[in-house]
Amino acid sequence: MIFVAAGTKDGRDLVTFLLGHGYDVTASVVSRYGEQLLSESRGSGRLLINDQPLDEKGFSDYFHAHHIRLAIDASHPYAADVSRNLMNACAAQSVPYIRYERDLSEFPGSSVMLVHSYEEAARQAACCGKNVFLTTGSRNLERFTRHPALKDCVLTVRVLPTAGVVRQCEEMGIDPGHIVAMQGPFSRALNRELYVKYKADVVITKNSGTIGGTDTKVAAAADLALPVIVIDRPVMSYAHLGRTYEDIRRFIEENYDGVYQKANGH
């Protein structure tokens, strides 16, 4: 059984890729919505879904209970704690580990400020104007709503359209008129229209690569001469790193030739 930390769209697509090649997969997700999307995956391999949060011990216990023989880390690029706990658990259980890392976006000819923390992003945004358009999701939203530099700013947040996330935004004091609950991906044109509608003075995002829509966010802002603050990814050292699904497949074959058995018995 292969374990995949599948907290992103490309992680879910990777699960589908592996199932299609006959591998049995346990996919670990962080939301009910992610579980619903994964349940639609099809292939000749067998799929199990874990929807419970796992820390380092949780990963180790899960590996032991479900006979996990290889782990693929396709968690969100900013979920550093998940990656760290997963790597430690793999080391403790002698389970081969590989990180699937989506490519970074480049920002030629655009007004981008690269920062290294949410707090730095908040301070920079406050210097750019009153209306701040946040596309960083709901998980770290409180870092912005509670930051003193933004107390006089109007925050517009774009988040997933689930009742729990919208309720969380409201509990943090976000006006319902400034909660954009939509499921991406978003085109350059749609991003541009939203920036105009909410009178954005600055956009805050993460460098989540093309699949995360960073390129279209930045391009739309450039159309309007808006500054963009990009929170850079955490810097981590991975023993093995794959940039494509074929990289991951080769790693599996190299580590399990004659050991890992595909679902079809070959």
Side-chain angles (χ1 to χ4, degrees), residues 96-117:
Y97 166 99
I98 185 170
R99 168 69 178 169
Y100 172 75
E101 185 78 44
R102 62 179 72 166
D103 287 333
L104 296 170
S105 291
E106 297 181 355
F107 316 109
S110 57
S111 180
V112 168
M113 292 173 279
L114 197 64
V115 300
H116 299 283
S117 71

Side-chain angles (χ1 to χ4, degrees), residues 81-133:
D81 287 342
V82 174
S83 294
R84 191 174 298 109
N85 287 334
L86 183 54
M87 283 191 285
N88 289 341
C90 285
Q93 297 292 323
S94 298
V95 172
Y97 166 99
I98 185 170
R99 168 69 178 169
Y100 172 75
E101 185 78 44
R102 62 179 72 166
D103 287 333
L104 296 170
S105 291
E106 297 181 355
F107 316 109
S110 57
S111 180
V112 168
M113 292 173 279
L114 197 64
V115 300
H116 299 283
S117 71
Y118 295 94
E119 290 71 24
E120 187 181 356
R123 290 192 295 271
Q124 289 284 357
C127 299
C128 295
K130 181 179 180 180
N131 296 315
V132 180
F133 197 96

Side-chain angles (χ1 to χ4, degrees), residues 77-193:
Y78 291 80
D81 287 342
V82 174
S83 294
R84 191 174 298 109
N85 287 334
L86 183 54
M87 283 191 285
N88 289 341
C90 285
Q93 297 292 323
S94 298
V95 172
Y97 166 99
I98 185 170
R99 168 69 178 169
Y100 172 75
E101 185 78 44
R102 62 179 72 166
D103 287 333
L104 296 170
S105 291
E106 297 181 355
F107 316 109
S110 57
S111 180
V112 168
M113 292 173 279
L114 197 64
V115 300
H116 299 283
S117 71
Y118 295 94
E119 290 71 24
E120 187 181 356
R123 290 192 295 271
Q124 289 284 357
C127 299
C128 295
K130 181 179 180 180
N131 296 315
V132 180
F133 197 96
L134 280 169
T135 68
T136 55
S138 61
R139 189 169 296 274
N140 291 282
L141 183 57
E142 192 171 13
R143 298 193 185 191
F144 295 103
T145 59
R146 291 183 176 273
H147 200 286
L150 298 176
K151 63 182 178 64
D152 296 323
C153 293
V154 177
L155 302 183
T156 297
V157 300
R158 190 166 69 193
V159 294
L160 285 174
T162 67
V165 168
V166 172
R167 182 170 58 252
Q168 178 186 352
C169 292
E170 291 178 328
E171 290 171 352
M172 292 183 188
I174 303 296
D175 184 280
H178 291 275
I179 301 172
V180 183
M182 300 176 68
Q183 170 67 39
F186 304 98
S187 68
R188 179 174 183 167
L190 180 53
N191 279 317
R192 187 169 57 242
E193 289 301 317

Side-chain angles (χ1 to χ4, degrees), residues 219-232:
D223 291 343
L224 302 170
L226 291 177
V228 181
I229 298 170
V230 176
I231 305 169
D232 206 7

